[in-house]
Amino acid sequence: MSNRVCHFKLVLLGDAAVGKSCLVVRFVRDEFFEFQEPTIGAAFLTQTVQCEDATVKYEIWDTAGQERYRSLAPMYYRGAAAAIVVYDITDPDSFAGAKSWVKELQRRGDPNVIIALAGNKADLEQRRKISQEEAESYAEENGILHLVTSAKDGTNVKSLFVEIAKKLPKNP
Ligand code: GDP
């Protein structure tokens, strides 16, 4: 069986403190820190997942969520094959923020960009403010993936990257 290695640029977008850096650290190093250092500008990491007969190598740009860095975002999503837009299931403002990132990506990102919405902090179920139904119907209307994740306990983190990999064009 052939095993091609396909490289894809992937960007994480979303409000500050929704858990973007923690999701990346969980995916790349399988670790979690309660006091993750804030990202300045953007951070770059790589990780691979196996998808059918291809190895998908993600080149991951984790962007800072603060408003003052927003104008830098196009530099990171330009040319990205995939984008993970993260919100915090306990924070309705972050869901509104995620919707505005999705809109921006659909208007100004690559026309074929695969967008995945990640409702993070699933371990805080008792404090949930955004229902699964609300997020899922939004994702469906917009033709994007949606997964509920927890960087803290690892729920769905690898699945998020695997589901995206399934949708990426792995041409020989
Ligand atoms: P970013 O600004 O979006 O990159 O957010 P960070 O990754 O820096 O995380 C912000 C805060 O949320 C940190 O205190 C993390 O420990 C916490 N956090 C991140 N992911 C989770 C999660 O899945 N569950 C819980 N309970 N806390 C999380």
Side-chain angles (χ1 to χ4, degrees):
M1 197 162 86
S2 72
N3 194 354
R4 287 168 289 115
V5 181
C6 307
H7 295 246
F8 294 103
K9 178 178 173 184
L10 178 147
V11 65
L12 279 98
L13 297 165
D15 287 0
V18 292
K20 297 180 295 300
S21 300
C22 287
L23 282 170
V24 175
V25 169
R26 171 62 77 192
F27 175 56
V28 173
R29 298 207 295 264
D30 200 16
E31 292 173 345
F32 177 78
F33 301 103
E34 291 286 346
F35 303 102
Q36 183 67 38
E37 292 283 319
T39 309
I40 310 293
F44 179 75
L45 291 103
T46 65
Q47 178 62 301
T48 58
V49 293
Q50 195 59 33
C51 184
E52 289 134 27
D53 63 344
T55 299
V56 168
K57 181 164 185 182
Y58 284 117
E59 293 157 358
I60 305 168
W61 287 96
D62 170 23
T63 64
Q66 289 99 329
E67 197 55 40
R68 66 179 179 277
Y69 296 118
R70 186 156 184 136
S71 61
L72 298 180
M75 242 164 56
Y76 300 104
Y77 65 66
R78 208 168 287 139
I84 299 176
V85 178
V86 186
Y87 67 96
D88 169 347
I89 64 161
T90 72
D91 176 5
D93 287 348
S94 76
F95 188 58
K99 287 178 173 174
S100 93
W101 281 114
V102 169
K103 202 176 273 178
E104 180 165 341
L105 280 166
Q106 288 174 332
R107 281 197 191 137
R108 300 174 57 197
D110 188 287
N112 299 316
V113 65
I114 306 296
I115 304 175
L117 185 63
N120 193 41
K121 310 197 185 181
D123 55 288
L124 301 178
E125 178 60 33
Q126 71 286 2
R127 286 170 42 196
R128 181 197 274 274
K129 298 273 174 15
I130 305 298
S131 72
Q132 179 104 6
E133 296 71 37
E134 179 179 359
E136 245 147 45
S137 73
Y138 169 77
E140 209 165 292
E141 276 162 29
N142 284 274
I144 63 178
L145 288 166
H146 174 253
L147 273 91
V148 172
T149 58
S150 169
K152 186 168 184 172
D153 67 19
T155 301
N156 270 344
V157 177
K158 188 164 179 208
S159 307
L160 177 64
F161 289 86
V162 170
E163 289 307 310
I164 294 167
K166 286 182 189 164
K167 292 194 166 264
L168 287 166
K170 293 169 288 297
N171 302 323

